[in-house]
């Protein structure tokens, strides 16, 4: 490996010993940009990689709230302001018990590259808390969100840092946080959060954007390799925001989605997923996916990871990081999978990705294929600044064009470095080159 790259990677592993997800994300990016580093000796002297992998700012804070029983609970809040190189920090908030510094830093790091690929002026950040919204009352969720924002508000702003949703943070949570921000700041700063409700500054098609964008990217990737989406059997893990709207667009494009999952189990319905029922269970009732088989009695209920054992042409991991490992990749390949589309962030382990690429499976990498969500968030920010609303069709068309452009950037970069259809490396190289250019231009900061 390139000496400078190896040195930086060794230092990162040493300095962040307990942060396995962060090391995994950095490792994947750095190893795939080696051909670019080889051409630029000057990067070492300006510590370009060291600066790109060190967050500009990492904030942690206390988030106390009183639950319905009158007991005071304390959680830890985070905001990683990773890079403002090409725009205000931008990235979602995740509320999940697994949230820790490593997960925040991996997500923030990925976000810099993803945001660069969108072609829009947004930097990279991420935040959240180890709070679990599952099973909490509306009142508890509101009090938690208000407490979280009481601290976060001093660090964000529509030209500084613009959070959005992620796992466990949807329109309801964004609404409570926006209300608290507005109350404290005493000003209507519409663009400070994205993923807002439509009645107070949200964008049409934001909810659908990540899932729709994933399918637009898949269409481009398959078409470019002489294939099409129509008629392809598909499995989608997760049953949250990304998974549901990926399923909706997939069905619209004639794909045959036969399985979806949640953190407790997976449903396999050979007749095709009944998405209206999934929406009712997950979006309205906030229930378990197992409810599905009470209505569709010939569907099967399996454990979550069994989703990768189903024979399928296309697999779309849309739940969480490292949900698809080497063992799962081997099963998918054995069963004839032709393409994987990452809807979640870093859903495939490094070993799984390497195995899939080695077996000539098309892999749509998360930082490119799920960038539609943040791209549409940037369109929401533009609408807020303009005091104007675009129609659903206008936003959707912009999203589709952005996804086409992202795919082309990945393809062109991969071709330029003789990497064939390795879009994982293509995405990393295309984003890195843009960021490196901006970093060189802005001096040592
Ligand atoms: P949601 O909270 O809406 O949904 C997550 C879903 O994944 C839930 O159905 C959850 O199940 C399920 N899940 C969690 N862990 C597992 C597991 N181990 N196996 C199977 N299912 C599991 O989150 P989002 O849809 O917003 O986010 C999903 C992924 O997409 C994350 O990686 C996120 O970072 C990424 N992403 C999201 C974007 C967005 O716009 N929302 C943008 C770009 C990336 P349960 O219902 O049981 O909790």
């Amino acid at each position: 490996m390139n000496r400078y790259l190896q040195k930086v990677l060794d230092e990162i592993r040493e300095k962040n010993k307990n942060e396995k997800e962060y090391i995994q994300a950095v490792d994947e990016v750095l190893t795939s940009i080696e051909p670019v580093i080889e051409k630029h000796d000057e990067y070492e002297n300006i510590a370009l990689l060291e600066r790109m992998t060190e967050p500009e700012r990492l904030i942690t804070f206390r988030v106390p709230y009183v639950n319905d029983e009158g007991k005071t609970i304390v959680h830890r809040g985070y905001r990683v302001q990773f890079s403002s190189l090409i725009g205000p920090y931008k990235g979602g908030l995740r509320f999940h018990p697994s949230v820790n510094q490593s997960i925040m830093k991996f997500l923030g790091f990925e976000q810099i590259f993803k945001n660069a690929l969108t072609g829009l002026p947004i930097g990279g950040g991420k935040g959240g808390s180890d709070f679990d919204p599952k099973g909490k009352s509306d009142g508890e969720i509101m009090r938690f969100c208000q407490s979280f924002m009481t601290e976060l508000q001093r660090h964000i702003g529509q030209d500084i840092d613009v959070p959005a949703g992620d796992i466990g943070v949807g329109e309801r949570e964004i609404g409570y946080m926006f209300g608290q921000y507005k109350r404290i700041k005493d000003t209507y700063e519409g663009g400070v959060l994205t993923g807002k409700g439509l009645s107070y500054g949200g964008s049409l098609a934001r909810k659908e954007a990540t899932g729709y964008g994933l399918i637009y990217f898949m269409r481009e990737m398959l078409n470019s390799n002489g294939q099409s989406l129509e008629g392809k059997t598909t499995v989608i893990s997760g049953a949250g925001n990304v998974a549901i709207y990926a399923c909706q667009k997939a069905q619209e494009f004639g794909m045959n989605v036969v399985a979806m999952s949640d953190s407790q189990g997976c449903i396999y319905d050979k007749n095709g997923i009944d998405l209206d029922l999934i929406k009712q269970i997950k979006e309205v009732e906030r229930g378990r996916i197992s409810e599905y088989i009470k209505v569709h009695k010939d569907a099967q209920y399996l454990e979550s990871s069994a989703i990768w054992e189903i024979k399928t042409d296309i697999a779309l991991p849309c739940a969480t990081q490292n949900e698809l490992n080497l063992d799962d990749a081997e099963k998918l390949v054995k069963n004839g999978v032709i393409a994987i589309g990452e809807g979640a962030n870093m859903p495939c382990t490094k070993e799984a990705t390497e195995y899939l690429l080695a077996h000539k499976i098309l892999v749509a990498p998360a930082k490119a294929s799920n960038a539609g969500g943040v791209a549409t968030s940037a369109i929401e920010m533009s609408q807020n600044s303009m005091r104007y609303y675009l129609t659903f069709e206008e936003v959707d068309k912009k999203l589709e064009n952005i996804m086409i452009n992202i795919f082309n950037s990945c393809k062109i970069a991969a071709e330029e470095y003789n990497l064939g259809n390795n879009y994982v490396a293509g995405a990393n190289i295309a984003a890195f080159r843009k960021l490196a250019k901006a970093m060189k231009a802005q001096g040592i900061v």
Side-chain angles (χ1 to χ4, degrees):
M1 183 186 264
N2 174 281
R3 192 195 49 78
Y4 172 46
L5 256 187
Q6 188 66 60
K7 181 181 90 136
V8 174
L9 257 179
D10 288 346
E11 280 170 10
I12 288 170
R13 288 193 189 114
E14 180 57 32
K15 264 198 208 165
N16 305 280
K17 268 198 196 101
N18 301 321
E19 301 182 357
K20 70 176 170 51
E21 293 84 1
Y22 178 57
I23 291 172
Q24 181 185 344
V26 172
D27 199 305
E28 188 226 283
V29 171
L30 294 200
T31 47
S32 68
I33 58 167
E34 186 170 12
V36 187
I37 303 297
E38 286 284 344
K39 285 191 184 170
H40 291 274
D41 289 346
E42 76 279 14
Y43 288 167
E44 183 165 6
N45 199 31
I46 57 169
L48 187 129
L49 293 177
E50 291 90 328
R51 286 188 291 136
M52 207 176 274
T53 51
E54 187 67 28
E56 286 176 21
R57 199 168 295 111
L58 171 56
I59 302 151
T60 66
F61 50 94
R62 181 175 68 204
V63 191
Y65 80 103
V66 180
N67 74 8
D68 286 348
E69 282 78 53
K71 195 167 171 234
T72 303
I73 315 278
V74 180
H75 284 280
R76 182 173 293 170
Y78 295 89
R79 187 70 186 165
V80 184
Q81 297 182 330
F82 220 118
S83 170
S84 58
L85 206 47
I86 60 172
Y89 309 105
K90 179 92 196 84
L93 298 171
R94 176 177 292 190
F95 291 168
H96 192 270
S98 65
V99 163
N100 59 30
Q101 185 165 306
S102 172
I103 289 180
M104 291 289 100
K105 279 172 67 184
F106 120 64
L107 289 164
F109 181 72
E110 291 269 305
Q111 197 82 46
I112 313 170
F113 291 78
K114 181 188 311 201
N115 294 2
L117 284 172
T118 66
L120 299 168
I122 36 180
K126 200 80 190 185
S129 173
D130 54 2
F131 169 73
D132 188 358
K134 249 193 224 117
K136 304 287 188 301
S137 71
D138 252 9
E140 288 173 321
I141 300 277
M142 183 181 74
R143 292 193 293 279
F144 179 81
C145 289
Q146 289 177 337
S147 179
F148 186 85
M149 185 49 88
T150 300
E151 177 59 33
L152 187 68
Q153 54 85 21
R154 66 187 79 235
H155 308 291
I156 63 173
Q158 62 185 1
D159 296 316
I160 303 168
D161 183 352
V162 182
D166 189 76
I167 293 179
V169 179
E171 198 178 308
R172 172 180 60 167
E173 292 74 16
I174 293 289
Y176 291 144
M177 287 191 269
F178 187 74
Q180 183 74 349
Y181 182 87
K182 193 161 58 58
R183 185 180 189 196
I184 295 172
K185 295 282 189 180
D186 198 18
T187 177
Y188 190 93
E189 205 186 311
V192 69
L193 290 172
T194 58
K196 298 182 292 293
L198 291 177
S199 58
Y200 62 93
S203 174
L204 287 161
R206 172 61 189 90
K207 184 173 70 174
E208 293 82 357
T210 310
Y212 277 24
L214 171 65
I215 303 299
Y216 293 140
F217 189 97
M218 294 301 286
R219 181 191 62 194
E220 296 307 301
M221 183 172 80
L222 263 73
N223 289 354
S224 176
N225 287 277
Q227 301 261 11
S228 74
L229 295 179
E230 210 182 338
K232 296 286 185 299
T233 303
T234 304
V235 300
I236 304 179
S237 66
N241 176 261
V242 180
I244 285 177
Y245 293 95
C247 182
Q248 184 159 310
K249 188 51 83 178
Q251 290 180 338
E252 216 179 290
F253 280 180
M255 297 164 78
N256 180 25
V257 183
V258 295
M260 289 183 84
S261 61
D262 67 11
S263 57
Q264 295 191 352
C266 140
I267 42 138
Y268 175 34
D269 188 344
K270 281 192 195 129
N271 302 319
I273 289 291
D274 175 351
L275 188 60
D276 287 340
L277 179 58
I278 295 278
K279 283 185 180 174
Q280 177 64 28
I281 296 169
K282 300 306 284 188
E283 291 189 330
V284 181
E285 294 163 15
R286 295 178 189 269
R288 310 309 321 165
I289 208 165
S290 53
E291 297 292 312
Y292 187 94
I293 54 168
K294 290 188 183 154
V295 178
H296 292 283
K297 299 215 167 23
D298 45 354
Q300 282 173 268
Y301 184 60
L302 312 161
E303 62 179 79
S304 297
S305 61
I307 195 163
W308 313 127
E309 290 168 17
I310 296 168
K311 186 170 169 47
T312 189
D313 300 314
I314 294 177
L316 304 176
C318 294
T320 194
Q321 66 273 357
N322 292 330
E323 56 168 311
L324 197 162
N325 61 27
L326 177 59
D327 198 32
D328 302 322
E330 286 171 354
K331 285 177 195 149
L332 285 164
V333 171
K334 195 164 148 250
N335 283 329
V337 78
I338 59 164
I340 308 287
E342 295 187 324
N345 284 312
M346 205 167 74
C348 298
T349 63
K350 191 160 186 267
E351 298 72 30
T353 306
E354 284 166 358
Y355 182 86
L356 292 165
L357 292 173
H359 286 78
K360 304 276 175 250
I361 309 303
L362 296 171
V363 180
K367 50 175 91 63
S369 52
N370 74 20
V374 74
T376 308
S377 276
I379 298 171
E380 181 176 334
M381 290 161 72
S382 305
Q383 294 173 77
N384 296 146
S385 298
M386 290 188 294
R387 306 269 194 269
Y388 184 72
Y389 285 109
L390 299 173
T391 64
F392 188 97
E393 290 69 28
E394 285 169 327
V395 179
D396 189 28
K397 197 69 214 159
K398 284 182 193 294
L399 166 67
E400 187 175 5
N401 286 334
I402 289 169
M403 297 315 295
I404 294 171
N405 290 339
I406 295 177
F407 174 72
N408 287 334
S409 306
C410 300
K411 181 174 147 94
I412 290 166
E415 282 170 0
E416 203 179 315
Y417 285 87
N418 294 320
L419 295 162
N421 51 17
N422 180 348
Y423 306 117
V424 178
N428 288 335
I429 290 173
F432 174 77
R433 286 200 304 198
K434 179 173 179 182
L435 293 160
K437 205 168 167 190
M439 210 165 211
K440 269 179 80 176
Q442 292 179 25
I444 307 298
V445 286

